[in-house]
């Protein structure tokens, strides 16, 4: 009975491709800062390759002319350039052997389907929604988000996948140096307004965003508190009852920018900002700068469909009628895309 019961389990609808994918998409994934902030707009597509119509539209002054004179002709047209980008696959599998679940059930009883299902879920999502296959993929997605924000997307081996500055035909902005001990008496606020707020407004060229976020390394956020201007803004937001309704206890609004410490991996290396690094990024509900492109998977049933955030499926041992293992798969097909890398400013915050 046990052998046939295992075969019945993996053939049942709860373990079908669609049902498993739906289940994975409902799992609370391992926490990730940029993912939680929703900076990258989820954009499902129906193919593995996307094409962008990149066009630089500037302001052109028109010469004054008299009535009856020939009308000036615009001879130089801004021709669009098509840029092609491909999504990549992040995929992992884990094998559940029969011996792995042998002692997690009452042998030869109907309780087995529930216990195997729980084991599959744990391999996918880990313990209480952390770890597992999903945790590793989520960490990799966060790594790619951070790279896209900086304008250069790398894989985990260090190979450059896309240089968005080169792809979009723009120069990489210089890194701003901010010394909080010399920027006093309103100069710190002025530096942020000029180099970040106004700069972003001038370079947006039609891009949509509603506010600006400063992601700070641990040293940068500590150094910020040495600035009298910033510290006063932080204290006001902590103490004011009126502002508490819109204050999350973590983000400080100062000089038109929301400042927050970036939460990377515990080792401060695998996925992290530099200790004194700050990244200023446009964000908001209407954000058109950052996209997470999702392509369909590799199954026949997924061809021509819009991509999903995650896919999951299983394969079991078909070598004979007595299966010994089940392989659990989790995959996503995505691209973290930065459409306006020139808008992002990077800075270092120090105290001399």
């Amino acid at each position: 009975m046990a052998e046939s019961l295992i075969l019945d389990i993996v053939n049942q609808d709860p373990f079908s491709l669609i049902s498993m994918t739906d289940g994975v998409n409902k799992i609370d994934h391992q926490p990730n800062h940029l993912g939680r902030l929703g900076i990258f707009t989820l954009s499902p597509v129906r193919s593995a390759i996307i094409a962008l119509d990149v066009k630089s539209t500037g302001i052109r002054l028109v010469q004054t002319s008299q009535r009856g004179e020939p009308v000036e002709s615009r001879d130089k047209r801004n021709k669009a350039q098509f840029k092609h980008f491909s999504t990549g696959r992040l995929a992992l599998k884990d094998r559940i052997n029969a011996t792995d679940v042998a002692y997690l059930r009452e042998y030869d009883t109907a309780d087995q389907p529930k216990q195997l299902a729980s084991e599959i879920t744990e391999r996918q999502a880990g313990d209480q929604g952390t770890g597992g296959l999903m945790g590793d993929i989520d960490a990799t997605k966060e790594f790619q988000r951070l790279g896209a924000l900086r304008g250069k997307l790398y894989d985990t081996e260090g190979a450059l996948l896309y240089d968005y500055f080169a792809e979009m035909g723009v120069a990489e902005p210089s890194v701003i140096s901010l010394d909080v001990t010399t920027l006093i008496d309103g100069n710190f606020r002025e530096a942020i307004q000029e180099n970040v707020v106004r700069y972003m407004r001038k370079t947006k060229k039609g891009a949509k965003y509603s506010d600006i976020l400063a992601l700070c390394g641990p040293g940068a956020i500590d150094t910020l508190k040495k600035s009298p201007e910033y510290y006063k803004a932080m204290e006001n937001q902590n103490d004011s009852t009126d502002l508490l309704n819109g204050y999350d206890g973590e983000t400080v609004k100062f000089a038109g920018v929301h400042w927050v410490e970036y939460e990377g991996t515990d080792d401060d290396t695998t996925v992290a900002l530099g200790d004194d690094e700050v990244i200023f990024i446009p964000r908001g509900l209407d954000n058109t700068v950052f996209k997470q492109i999702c392509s369909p998977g590799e199954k026949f049933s997924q061809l021509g469909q819009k991509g999903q955030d995650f896919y999951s499926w299983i394969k079991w041992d078909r070598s004979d009628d007595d299966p010994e293992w089940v392989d659990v798969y989790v995959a996503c097909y995505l691209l973290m895309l930065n459409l306006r890398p020139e808008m992002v400013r990077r800075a270092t915050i120090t105290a001399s």
Side-chain angles (χ1 to χ4, degrees):
M1 177 179 177
E3 293 83 357
S4 61
L5 184 56
I6 292 176
L7 287 174
D8 288 342
I9 293 169
V10 294
N11 281 295
Q12 287 175 2
D13 182 70
F15 292 91
S16 69
L17 179 64
I18 295 176
S19 296
M20 290 198 63
T21 295
D22 287 345
V24 167
N25 282 330
K26 294 175 183 176
I27 292 174
D28 291 332
H29 307 321
Q30 178 172 304
N32 53 86
H33 202 168
L34 299 177
R36 291 199 312 271
L37 293 173
I39 293 169
F40 285 77
T41 303
L42 198 64
S43 300
V45 297
R46 300 181 187 273
S47 64
I49 299 176
I50 62 169
L52 294 181
D53 186 2
V54 179
K55 185 176 182 180
S56 177
T57 303
I59 302 298
R60 180 172 178 267
L61 300 180
V62 179
Q63 176 65 38
T64 301
S65 60
Q66 299 296 323
R67 292 177 177 84
E69 292 182 347
V71 175
E72 181 181 2
S73 175
R74 179 182 290 180
D75 297 323
K76 295 182 180 179
R77 298 182 180 272
N78 290 321
K79 295 184 178 181
Q81 292 183 335
F82 281 99
K83 296 289 184 178
H84 294 85
F85 298 89
S86 299
T87 56
R89 181 183 73 177
L90 301 178
L92 286 173
K93 74 173 183 178
D94 197 0
R95 175 162 293 185
I96 302 174
N97 294 301
T99 53
D100 295 335
V101 296
Y103 305 104
L104 300 179
R105 59 179 171 82
E106 293 182 12
Y107 180 74
D108 210 16
T109 68
D111 291 335
Q112 185 178 358
K114 179 180 180 181
Q115 290 163 341
L116 181 56
S118 299
E119 183 68 12
I120 289 174
T121 300
E122 186 171 334
R123 297 295 181 96
Q124 289 173 334
D127 185 17
Q128 298 181 351
T130 60
L133 303 178
M134 299 288 293
D136 290 342
I137 289 182
D138 268 332
T140 308
K141 289 169 68 176
E142 182 76 352
F143 171 82
Q144 292 192 352
R145 289 189 190 102
L146 198 55
L149 290 184
R150 289 177 170 134
K152 295 181 181 179
L153 187 64
Y154 293 89
D155 70 10
T156 54
E157 299 296 321
L160 180 64
L161 300 176
Y162 287 109
D163 182 336
Y164 289 123
F165 298 105
E167 295 289 345
M168 303 302 174
V170 296
E172 182 175 356
S174 59
V175 177
I176 309 166
S177 179
L178 300 169
D179 188 335
V180 299
T181 55
T182 58
L183 291 171
I184 57 176
D185 299 328
N187 289 327
F188 188 26
R189 178 183 294 273
E190 182 180 346
I192 300 302
Q193 285 286 323
E194 180 63 27
N195 293 290
V196 178
V197 179
R198 291 194 184 99
Y199 170 85
M200 206 170 287
R201 188 187 307 144
K202 291 176 181 178
T203 55
K204 68 177 183 179
K205 296 187 183 298
K208 295 181 180 180
Y209 66 99
S210 57
D211 59 46
I212 300 173
L213 180 69
L215 298 168
C216 305
I221 204 74
D222 292 339
T223 304
L224 272 171
K225 297 172 185 177
K226 298 178 182 179
S227 165
E229 298 173 54
Y230 179 88
Y231 190 81
K232 182 178 180 180
M234 183 181 68
E235 287 295 294
N236 287 340
Q237 290 177 63
N238 273 314
D239 296 338
S240 174
T241 303
D242 293 334
L243 291 177
L244 277 175
N245 292 327
Y247 178 52
D248 59 14
E250 297 178 354
T251 306
V252 175
K253 187 173 183 180
F254 168 71
V257 174
H258 297 269
W259 303 74
V260 65
E261 181 177 357
Y262 176 73
E263 301 172 16
T265 49
D266 291 340
D267 62 5
D268 293 326
T269 302
T270 305
V271 183
L273 292 183
D275 189 52
D276 60 356
E277 182 181 6
V278 178
I279 303 179
F280 298 96
I281 59 173
R283 67 163 185 175
L285 295 177
D286 296 327
N287 171 30
T288 60
V289 178
F290 307 109
K291 302 284 187 182
Q292 179 182 322
I293 308 298
C294 297
S295 289
E298 302 169 76
K299 308 295 184 182
F300 281 109
S301 62
Q302 297 159 354
L303 297 180
Q305 303 297 315
K306 285 189 175 181
Q308 298 192 34
D309 196 12
F310 280 95
Y311 291 95
S312 181
W313 65 96
I314 62 173
K315 291 182 181 179
W316 61 92
D317 179 13
R318 293 184 178 271
S319 59
D320 53 42
D321 293 334
D322 191 4
E324 297 180 6
W325 49 262
V326 172
D327 281 341
V328 181
Y329 291 78
V330 173
C332 57
Y333 305 80
L334 54 81
L335 173 67
M336 300 299 178
L337 187 60
N338 185 342
L339 295 171
R340 307 302 293 270
E342 71 274 23
M343 290 181 66
V344 178
R345 294 304 306 261
R346 297 176 64 186
T348 57
I349 293 187
T350 57
S352 58

